[in-house]
């Protein structure tokens, strides 16, 4: 419990912020190293994109001795804009497995986190990583990336980033970022018409939201409410295929479904599909990667990435 004379503020379960500005993260800080050859047959390495942005790259090891071009996926991790990284024990094994099963190159982006770096820092860093990718700025990309099959994917806050990046791609005058499709996994959206479960969580969401965008509440923010003032119309989404994924027990499931319906009805000229996993909660596939429903979900994502 906080008291008025405490030298910090708690934002469970994520962070403690001390009065001197020091941020102490309670979770999402562990890391795993890259691997020249994993058990799944994938090579990974870390790269520096800019002073603010880095990434972990994944490629099926057999592709390194081939001239075959592979679909390219830029991935944005979740963690409420506050915790986690591509290098964590949740994300590294998942990206390793996805690269192997889908036969894709993955650029898993390490963007700056709040509260040290408030929005739109995460969006700006993510866009910088996309431009780095399409610029073929690494030999793995130059030799093996098929930019005609460029995808974005992310979960939770990363799913929100995917939406924002697809909007930027649609608004960009040049055609440097040509997206084949995007995957939003349990995406973080907010806004009016909350369900009973969402209303129970509204205080928690608004309290956290102040850490990364203090000037306006989540309900009114165009970053997470596609109908808010200043939000770009969904018709500007810069791709023609979208996969929206929700989980039955996830408290933000309703907003994910509303996004799916809004996109269908917006006049956007593309195809959107909805995938719902019954009996599971938020990002269950990261916490229980070996369960049957996680395996099924992996196959659904792989199928989307491999469609011609």
């Amino acid at each position: 419990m906080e008291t008025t004379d405490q030298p910090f503020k708690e934002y469970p379960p994520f962070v403690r912020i001390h009065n001197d500005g020091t941020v102490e993260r309670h979770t999402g800080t562990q890391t795993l190293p890259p691997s020249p050859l994993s058990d799944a047959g994938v090579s990974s390495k870390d790269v520096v994109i800019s002073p603010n942005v880095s990434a972990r790259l994944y490629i099926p090891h057999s592709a390194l001795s081939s001239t075959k071009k592979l679909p390219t996926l830029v991935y944005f991790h979740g963690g409420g804009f506050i915790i986690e990284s591509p290098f964590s024990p949740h994300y590294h094994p998942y990206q390793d497995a996805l690269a192997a099963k889908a036969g894709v190159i993955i650029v898993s982006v390490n963007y700056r986190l709040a509260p040290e770096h408030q929005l739109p820092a995460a969006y700006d860093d993510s866009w910088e990583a996309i431009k780095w990718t399409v610029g073929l700025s690494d030999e793995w990309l130059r030799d093996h990336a098929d930019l005609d099959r460029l995808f974005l994917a992310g979960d939770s806050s990363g799913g929100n980033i995917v939406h924002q990046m697809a909007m930027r791609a649609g608004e960009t005058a040049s055609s440097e970022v040509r997206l084949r499709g995007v995957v939003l996994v349990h995406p973080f959206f907010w806004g009016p018409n909350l369900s009973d479960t969402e209303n129970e969580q509204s205080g928690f969401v608004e309290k956290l939201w102040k850490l990364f965008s203090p000037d306006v509440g989540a309900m009114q923010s165009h970053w997470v409410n596609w109908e808010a003032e200043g939000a770009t119309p969904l018709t500007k989404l810069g791709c023609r295929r979208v996969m929206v994924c929700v989980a039955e027990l996830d408290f933000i499931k309703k907003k994910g479904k509303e996004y799916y319906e809004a996109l269908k009805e917006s006049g956007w000229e593309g195809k959107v599909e909805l995938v719902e996993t019954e009996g599971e909660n938020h990002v269950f596939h990261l916490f229980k990667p070996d369960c049957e429903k996680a395996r099924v979900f992996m196959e659904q994502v792989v199928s989307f990435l491999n469609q011609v």
Side-chain angles (χ1 to χ4, degrees), residues 49-177:
I49 292 174
S50 75
N52 293 325
V53 191
S54 61
R56 180 162 288 179
L57 272 57
Y58 300 81
I59 188 171
H61 186 74
S62 59
L64 293 173
S65 57
S66 168
T67 58
K68 182 180 179 180
K69 299 291 186 177
L70 302 178
T72 304
L73 171 65
V74 184
Y75 194 94
F76 308 101
H77 68 83
F81 299 107
I82 299 173
I83 61 170
E84 288 291 357
S85 77
F87 323 121
S88 84
H90 291 130
Y91 285 99
H92 176 68
Y94 176 72
Q95 305 294 353
D96 188 77
L98 182 58
K101 293 181 182 297
V104 299
I105 299 174
I106 299 177
V107 179
S108 189
V109 181
N110 189 39
Y111 51 85
R112 286 174 293 174
L113 299 176
E116 298 95 327
H117 306 283
Q118 296 176 342
L119 295 179
Y123 301 130
D124 293 341
D125 292 353
S126 297
W127 185 246
E128 186 173 8
I130 293 172
K131 292 195 295 182
W132 180 89
T133 300
V134 301
L136 301 176
S137 303
D138 180 86
E139 63 177 335
W140 285 5
L141 299 173
R142 287 191 295 272
D143 293 343
H144 304 289
D146 180 358
L147 295 183
D148 288 329
R149 292 182 289 170
L150 177 64
F151 295 87
L152 307 180
D155 63 272
S156 195
S157 55
N160 173 275
I161 291 174
V162 168
H163 165 73
Q164 293 296 338
M165 296 303 97
M167 298 303 283
R168 285 200 190 189
E171 293 178 290
T172 302
S174 71
S175 59
E176 61 175 339
V177 178

